[in-house]
Structures are given as C-alpha cells and as structure tokens.
Amino acid sequence: MQTLIIGVALALASAFSWASSTILVRMGLRRLSPIGANIFRLYVASALFLLIFALTGNLGVFKLPARLLVLAFISAQFGFVIGDYFYFNALKRMGVSRTVPITSTYPLWAILWAMLFLGKKVKPHVILGAVLVVLAIIIVKKAEERENSDRLGFIFAFIAPISWSVAITIMDYLTKSIPSLQLAGVRMVFAAIGVSVFLPRYGDEVRRINRREALVMIGAAVLGLILGQYLFVYSVSLVGSPVAAPVSAINPILASLLAVLILRERPNARIFEGLVLAVLGVVLISLG
C-alpha cells in the first residue's frame, strides 16, 4: 500500500511539473512555433541529462544491451517525436478545446496495452478512475472557446494519444531493467536525436531564439522534460502505467488552475467541476 501511495504521489508531482512547464511556456513564448520550441526544449533537456549522467557516473547506460536501447529509442520516438508531432499539428488545425479532449484518452489506451501486452491485471475501480480523469479533462476543455475543426485535424488528434500510450507501455516494460533516472535520460537523448528530422525546416527558427525565449524554454525543459519525466518514469516503475498514466493525466486541469491563479486568466465553473471529477478518479486509482 505504501508503494502505491508513493507512486500516485509521484504521478501527481509529475502532473504538477508538466502543468508548471505549460504555464512557463504561455508566459514567455509568443513567436515560436510549437515544433521549433519542442526542438529547443528537447535539445536543452538532453544536454542537461548528459551533464547529470556525467556528474553521477551514469553514462554507462549507453552500454546497455542493444535490445533495451532499441526499445528505449522506439519509446522516445513514439512519445516525444511522433506523438507530439501529431499533437502539435492537431492543435494548429483545431485549437486546444477540440484537440485536448481527444488526446486526453491516452491513459485508457495505456491501460489497454498494459493488459494485452504486459499481462497486467487492472482492477475495475482503476479503470473507472481513469475514465473519470478523462471525463474531467473533457469537461474543462469543452467549456473553453470552440474553434474550427477539420477531419485531418481529428485524425492527428486521434493518433497522438495512441502514440503516447505505446511509448508509455514500452517504458513500463523497460522500468524492470533500467533505473528510473537512466531511463528518463536515455529516452530524452534519443528523442533529441529523433526530433532532429525537423531541423531542416525549423533550424532557422531555433537559431533565432532570443535570450528571453531561451531562458523560458530552459525553465520549461527543466520542469517538464527533466523533473516531470523523471517523476513519471519513477512512478511507472513503482505502480505501473495503468495507475501512473491516468493520475498524471490531470495536468491540463492543473495548468488551467495555474493559469487562473498566476496568469489571471478568466476562470469558468467547469474547471472546478472537472477538478472534483479528477480528484475522485485519483482517489479510486489510489485504492489499488
């Protein structure tokens, strides 16, 4: 039971880190495209992880068996390159209010893959808790301003959570063989390598990032891609993806709350309705 509580707490902490990173990006970025910003964040995060590895004697992670490194590479591409690519394009085509309710289904996909491929048994109340978390996110985002939609945007938004869930499932498998810090770092380094495919198109934009934007993105990288990802990987290693994924999925609600508190954005009642549902969902999941 203690392991479950710690795992849920870590997942909540990762959600708060991701939400804080989102607020930081909203505060400081107006000119960069999502993909250009993502390239810079991944490069910063991977460089910092390599520095951490050098200081803590963890560079030996790159000498792990090839099978594990290949799986880590695949997980990184599905999570940070492929999934985020479709997510960013869906945001561009349909806007936040139509995209997030679709992409927020990734915990349900993660539970399904864990049951099918990892042989994990998921209790009904954990599934119900995950559903409540997803409904909470949908309620909050549906209350926001509606934007134009299109069929291709819907397809992009549908692919993104499936891609993320595949990344999480592979990561869940790898947590049995690779320590959390090493797995978080090696995935980030591999993600930076993979996202370089976009450099020919976005390289000029990345090179034009000014000092203020760089500082904001470094902060976002530390909170979201280093601290947030490490806490999430650690949570998965303790309680598995069927528990960690739905708990951490409340980060859009936390981001909305932080936007109201810090950015003084106009609140709506649905934020608090969603928060109640999310809390109920997390409580159900925490029952183990």
Side-chain angles (χ1 to χ4, degrees):
M1 187 65 180
Q2 184 177 3
T3 299
L4 177 63
I5 293 174
I6 294 174
V8 170
L10 289 169
L12 287 172
S14 72
F16 185 80
S17 293
W18 290 333
S20 301
S21 174
T22 299
I23 295 302
L24 202 57
V25 171
R26 288 184 188 177
M27 289 174 61
L29 296 181
R30 296 291 183 271
R31 183 180 60 83
L32 295 178
S33 69
I35 294 179
N38 193 41
I39 291 173
F40 186 81
R41 285 193 315 153
L42 287 173
Y43 280 6
V44 168
S46 63
L48 290 176
F49 262 120
L50 287 174
L51 177 61
I52 292 171
F53 282 0
L55 294 176
T56 58
N58 280 293
L59 286 174
V61 65
F62 296 103
K63 297 180 181 179
L64 286 171
R67 178 180 64 87
L68 296 179
L69 292 177
V70 168
L71 287 174
F73 182 86
I74 294 172
S75 175
Q77 306 319 303
F78 274 107
F80 300 108
V81 181
I82 299 172
D84 283 356
Y85 172 80
F86 285 111
Y87 175 60
F88 290 148
N89 276 280
L91 285 175
K92 184 176 181 179
R93 300 182 73 95
M94 300 198 305
V96 173
S97 62
R98 291 182 181 270
T99 299
V100 172
I102 302 171
T103 58
S104 66
T105 59
Y106 76 87
L108 301 179
W109 290 105
I111 289 175
L112 176 62
W113 305 144
M115 294 171 63
L116 291 178
F117 300 112
L118 300 181
K120 297 201 173 189
K121 295 181 180 180
V122 182
K123 297 179 181 179
H125 59 76
V126 173
I127 298 176
L128 177 59
V131 171
L132 288 178
V133 169
V134 171
L135 287 177
I137 300 170
I138 291 174
I139 286 174
V140 171
K141 292 305 176 183
K142 283 294 186 182
E144 295 182 355
E145 181 182 357
R146 292 183 175 273
E147 302 180 37
N148 292 329
S149 179
D150 60 50
R151 183 174 299 178
L152 186 58
F154 175 84
I155 293 174
F156 285 165
F158 185 76
I159 293 174
I162 297 177
S163 181
W164 291 336
S165 67
V166 170
I168 291 170
T169 303
I170 297 173
M171 185 186 71
D172 193 346
Y173 172 78
L174 290 173
T175 56
K176 306 301 184 292
S177 304
I178 307 176
S180 299
L181 177 63
Q182 292 185 353
L183 181 55
V186 77
R187 289 177 77 239
M188 194 57 57
V189 172
F190 287 157
I193 293 172
V195 82
S196 297
V197 71
F198 295 112
L199 266 183
R201 182 174 179 181
Y202 294 92
D204 288 340
E205 177 184 328
V206 173
R207 284 189 287 269
R208 288 197 301 269
I209 291 177
N210 60 41
R211 181 178 178 182
R212 180 174 180 273
E213 291 169 337
L215 290 174
V216 169
M217 292 313 301
I218 290 172
V222 170
L223 284 173
L225 297 180
I226 297 180
L227 181 59
Q229 195 219 166
Y230 169 68
L231 292 171
F232 181 64
V233 173
Y234 194 5
S235 175
V236 170
S237 72
L238 293 178
V239 296
S241 56
V243 171
V247 173
S248 66
I250 71 169
N251 82 84
I253 298 176
L254 295 178
S256 296
L257 286 171
L258 289 175
V260 171
L261 295 173
I262 298 175
L263 302 183
R264 305 299 181 185
E265 291 187 2
R266 185 178 179 180
N268 63 71
R270 291 301 178 92
I271 290 179
F272 302 102
E273 293 175 9
L275 183 61
V276 171
L277 273 181
V279 169
L280 288 175
V282 171
V283 169
L284 281 174
I285 294 167
S286 302
L287 294 177

